[in-house]
């Protein structure tokens, strides 16, 4: 897919409902939205300020979230399960970063957290220009398990 032709849109009811039933196969099932009520995704108060989706025409290809913590922009995203495993996740990430930077007029360092064990995501982030900054321990959502996460950053451009 040519992610450069995608548009960043404010989250809306249709996209949020579609994303809320995304399921990923093992070993990525812990990232599934289906069966896990996600108040943040469904919180209309943050649609267009923190919650977005990447669209190709009318197709939802990814969920994009960003939050300012002081002067730091933290990001997170999910690629549609139908597009995972193709070796092009870094292209999706690059476009998300480009479009969020443009939308927010943000030129500073971008931060994200990724489970260290999610090697596929770590490789995609590295290909997209993110570098390891430090490790933190945190709970994996909906699992009750604590795991090592990497804080990764991308410098401004």
């Amino acid at each position: 897919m040519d992610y450069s032709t995608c548009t960043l849109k404010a989250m809306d009811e249709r996209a949020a409902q579609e994303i809320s039933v995304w399921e990923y196969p093992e070993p990525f099932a812990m990232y599934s939205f289906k069966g896990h009520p996600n108040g943040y995704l469904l919180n209309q108060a943050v649609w267009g300020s923190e919650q977005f989706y990447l669209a190709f025409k009318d197709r939802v290809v990814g969920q994009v979230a960003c939050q300012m913590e002081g002067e730091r922009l933290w990001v997170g995203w999910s690629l549609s399960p139908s597009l995972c495993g193709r070796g092009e996740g870094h292209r999706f990430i690059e476009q998300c970063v480009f479009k969020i930077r443009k939308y927010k007029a943000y030129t500073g360092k971008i931060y994200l957290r990724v489970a260290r064990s999610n090697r596929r995501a770590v490789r995609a982030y590295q290909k997209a220009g993110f570098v390891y900054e430090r490790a933190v321990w945190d709970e994996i959502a909906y699992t009750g398990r604590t795991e090592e996460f990497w804080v990764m950053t991308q410098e401004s451009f």
Side-chain angles (χ1 to χ4, degrees):
M1 169 171 276
D2 182 2
Y3 293 100
S4 67
T5 63
C6 293
T7 55
L8 184 72
K9 297 185 176 188
M11 187 61 66
D12 59 32
E13 187 70 32
R14 180 190 66 85
Q17 290 303 318
E18 181 177 332
I19 293 164
S20 71
V21 295
W22 281 357
E23 280 187 282
Y24 298 94
E26 290 295 343
F28 307 104
M30 70 181 91
Y31 301 109
S32 294
F33 286 84
K34 187 174 183 177
H36 302 119
N38 189 316
Y40 182 56
L41 173 68
L42 300 174
N43 180 358
Q44 293 181 14
V46 297
W47 290 357
S49 62
E50 296 180 6
Q51 283 284 351
F52 304 88
Y53 68 99
L54 201 64
F56 177 73
K57 298 181 183 176
D58 287 335
R59 179 180 179 197
V60 177
V61 298
Q63 174 264 345
V64 182
C66 62
Q67 293 178 317
M68 291 300 297
E69 184 180 276
E71 296 296 315
R72 295 179 173 183
L73 178 64
W74 288 84
V75 296
W77 34 66
S78 298
L79 182 59
S80 170
S82 66
L83 297 170
C84 291
R86 298 178 175 190
E88 54 188 41
H90 67 287
R91 290 186 181 98
F92 165 73
I93 294 163
E94 289 166 351
Q95 284 306 307
C96 290
V97 167
F98 174 76
K99 292 176 186 309
I100 284 293
R101 283 186 182 282
K102 186 176 177 183
Y103 184 87
K104 294 282 191 180
Y106 183 80
T107 58
K109 189 185 283 190
I110 291 183
Y111 295 78
L112 64 80
R113 289 180 348 146
V114 58
R116 183 182 67 88
S117 64
N118 189 345
R119 304 307 295 158
R120 183 167 77 175
V122 169
R123 281 191 305 274
Y125 294 137
Q126 289 170 330
K127 282 183 173 181
F130 283 83
V131 296
Y132 171 86
E133 187 168 284
R134 69 182 184 280
V136 296
W137 286 84
D138 201 358
E139 181 181 329
I140 297 174
Y142 312 114
T143 68
R145 293 189 349 237
T146 301
E147 186 171 327
E148 182 180 353
F149 283 78
W150 283 5
V151 173
M152 298 182 79
T153 60
Q154 184 193 67
E155 294 295 328
S156 61
F157 48 81

